[in-house]
Structures are given as C-alpha cells and as structure tokens.
Amino acid sequence: MSESGKRVLVTGGAGFIGSHLCDALLARGDEVICLDNLSTGHRDNIAGALESGAFTFDEGDVSEPLDYKVDCVFHLASPASPVDYYGMQVETMRANSLGTMNCLELARRTGCRMLMASTSEVYGDPQVTPQREDYFGHVNPVGPRSCYDEGKRFAEAACKAYEREHDVEVVIVRIFNTYGSRMRKSDGRVIPNFVCQALDGEPLTIYGDGGQTRSFCHVSDMVRGLAQAMFTADAAGQVINIGNPNEMRVIDLAGRIRKKTASSSEMEFKPLPEDDPMQRNPDISKAMSLLGWAPEVDLDAGLDDVISWFRENR
Ligand code: UDP
C-alpha cells in the first residue's frame, strides 16, 4: 500500500462501513474529511474519530456540488440496507447519480483517485455463482430494489465515462454483505434482525423458506479491502469484488445465531420480499491476486463481535 499522510474525503463517513473506514484511515496516519447528511449515518459512529485532530466532520449532502482539496475520494454515501432504501428511493438515486457525478467532478478537477463503493446488488438475482466481476448481472430495472441496484449500476457507468473521457482514475469495489459493530437494530438487515430478535426472545423472522444464501464479511476485513483497493497503484480502472466467500443459507445463519446467543426464540416464516436474490457468493480471486487481500475474520468470531455490540446497543 501507498504511504500514509494523505488527505482523504469519505462520503458517508458517519455510516456503518464509512465510520470504520474513517477509523482505519486515521490509524494509518491519514487526514480524513467525513461528509455525511446523517440520513442513515449517526454522530455516535464518529465520536472516537472526532477526538482526533486529523478528522473533520462536514454535515452535508453529496448530491450538492463538492469543493475540497484532497488526495483521494471514497464515495460511500447512500442508504444501503433494503429497508432503508425502500423508504428513501429518490434520495438513494440522488446519492448514487448526482452524488457520484459530484465525486467524479471533484476527482477530475483535483486529479485525484476516486473509489466507488458499489455493491453485489449490481448482479441482481444472479444466474451464475459464484459471481465474478465480468458477470453482467440479472437486475429488474423497475422492481422495489431498483433505486439501489440501478443507482449503483449508473454510478459504475459514470465512473467509466469519466475514466474514458477525462482520464479520472477510478476503482470500483463491489461490496458484498457486511456486518459488525455500529449496525443499527432498525436497519432491517438479516444479522441485526436475527441477533436482536434472539437477544430479546422474539421469533427469528425467516423470509421465504430460508434457503436463499448470502456470504457475510466482517467490517474490519471490508475496510482493509477498501483501503487496499484505494492505495494499490495497479487497482486503477479495476472492478473488484470484496466480500467473504463463506456462503450459507439464511436458515442456517438463524440457527447459528440462536445457538451462539443461547436463545430459545422460535423461527417464524414470512413471505420472501419481491426480487430477493436467491444466492450470493463473491469470487474474490481478483482481490486476492491484485491486492493481496483475503478475509481474516471467520463467522464465529465475527458473530461474537456483533452479538456483543447489540447486547450493549439496541
Ligand atoms: N432476511 C430474513 N429475515 C430478516 C431479514 C432478512 O430472512 O429478518 C433475508 C432476506 O430475505 C435476504 C437475506 O436475509 O434473503 C439478506 O437480507 P439483508 O436485508 O440483510 O440484505 P440483502 O443481501 O438482501 O441486501
């Protein structure tokens, strides 16, 4: 990785992944500007970072034009959990369209690199597994998830347009399901739901028959991957999956969490949301060869971490 001491803009830096990224950059010795409108992010997430003289918080919206002097830009600002983006469809599209264009404009003007936080959702409900970066995906452009999926697909296309037309250096990282401390109980994702339900003795809500799969990456591995993608010279122009290829069925995840929390919660089956992908598993061979990155936290240790977070924060 490159030398530290960079001046870095993190949009969405008060969110779940963004705030962990800010902490990792500060620990590297970088100077961090965090831009966040706090629509899903929270001040508590950056309480530690705010104690550092190298951290600045700017409460604002990435869909408005940006004016900073920075060496690189991470664009993470967007609602990201299905429950959040169902309730903020237009804002999600603005953050990923106007917000991405604003970040790209800033990168063009200042000659700096931009990392686009994209998503495994660009693969939609994939017909091939595991998903490699050269798979085009299988996305419903008008379904309930489309504000997010198509927003991120637009963002990726915008990155490529600025790269081809203006020589902007872009790295696109497709983030797969990530979990860890600072997730919100109310964000509706599967791990916060199951952990909080198990701790509160409520039924674990399984959507569909629970046979759908996901692969869960601990946030510490995720932010290490994001930093390596940003600071590896050869990553310029690349699209890179970052996630943990340890694929499992949702129902088995529920069983694991119930056991780890020693909970006697029942399982309650609910309808599968429309367009819920049936399988998701990243092919991470590119991240391994190009960045020398691989996940290090196994699900057992990661679940211990997130369970202890929710014991204190729910
Ligand atoms: N899910 C579930 N129960 C819940 C929340 C989610 O069975 O209480 C399922 C959901 O249908 C999906 C998977 O868990 O198949 C992951 O959902 P999440 O919202 O965490 O993220 P996604 O990968 O769908 O964006």
Side-chain angles (χ1 to χ4, degrees), residues 86-104:
Y86 291 157
M88 287 185 261
Q89 309 227 346
V90 174
E91 182 171 343
T92 301
M93 298 224 67
R94 286 172 65 84
N96 287 298
S97 55
L98 297 173
T100 302
M101 302 283 274
N102 288 336
C103 291
L104 287 163

Side-chain angles (χ1 to χ4, degrees), residues 80-83 85 120-121 145 177 187-194 197 204-208 210 212-214 216 250 272-273 276-277 280:
S81 92
V83 164
Y85 60 72
S120 54
E121 282 286 324
R145 300 172 89 106
N177 294 67
D187 91 1
R189 288 184 174 102
V190 65
I191 288 186
N193 275 10
F194 288 175
Q197 289 160 346
L204 272 57
T205 49
I206 315 281
Y207 300 161
Q212 69 272 34
T213 68
R214 294 294 186 271
F216 297 99
V250 163
L272 189 68
D276 196 290
R280 190 178 289 150

Side-chain angles (χ1 to χ4, degrees), residues 22 42 48 72 84 88 92 109 158 187 189 199 243 266 287 308:
C22 289
H42 206 282
C72 52
D84 284 338
M88 287 185 261
T92 301
R109 277 201 317 276
D187 91 1
R189 288 184 174 102
L199 292 176
E266 312 266 286
S308 73

Side-chain angles (χ1 to χ4, degrees), residues 136-150:
F136 293 169
H138 179 242
V139 176
N140 178 354
V142 293
R145 300 172 89 106
S146 65
C147 60
Y148 187 68
D149 300 12
E150 297 293 5

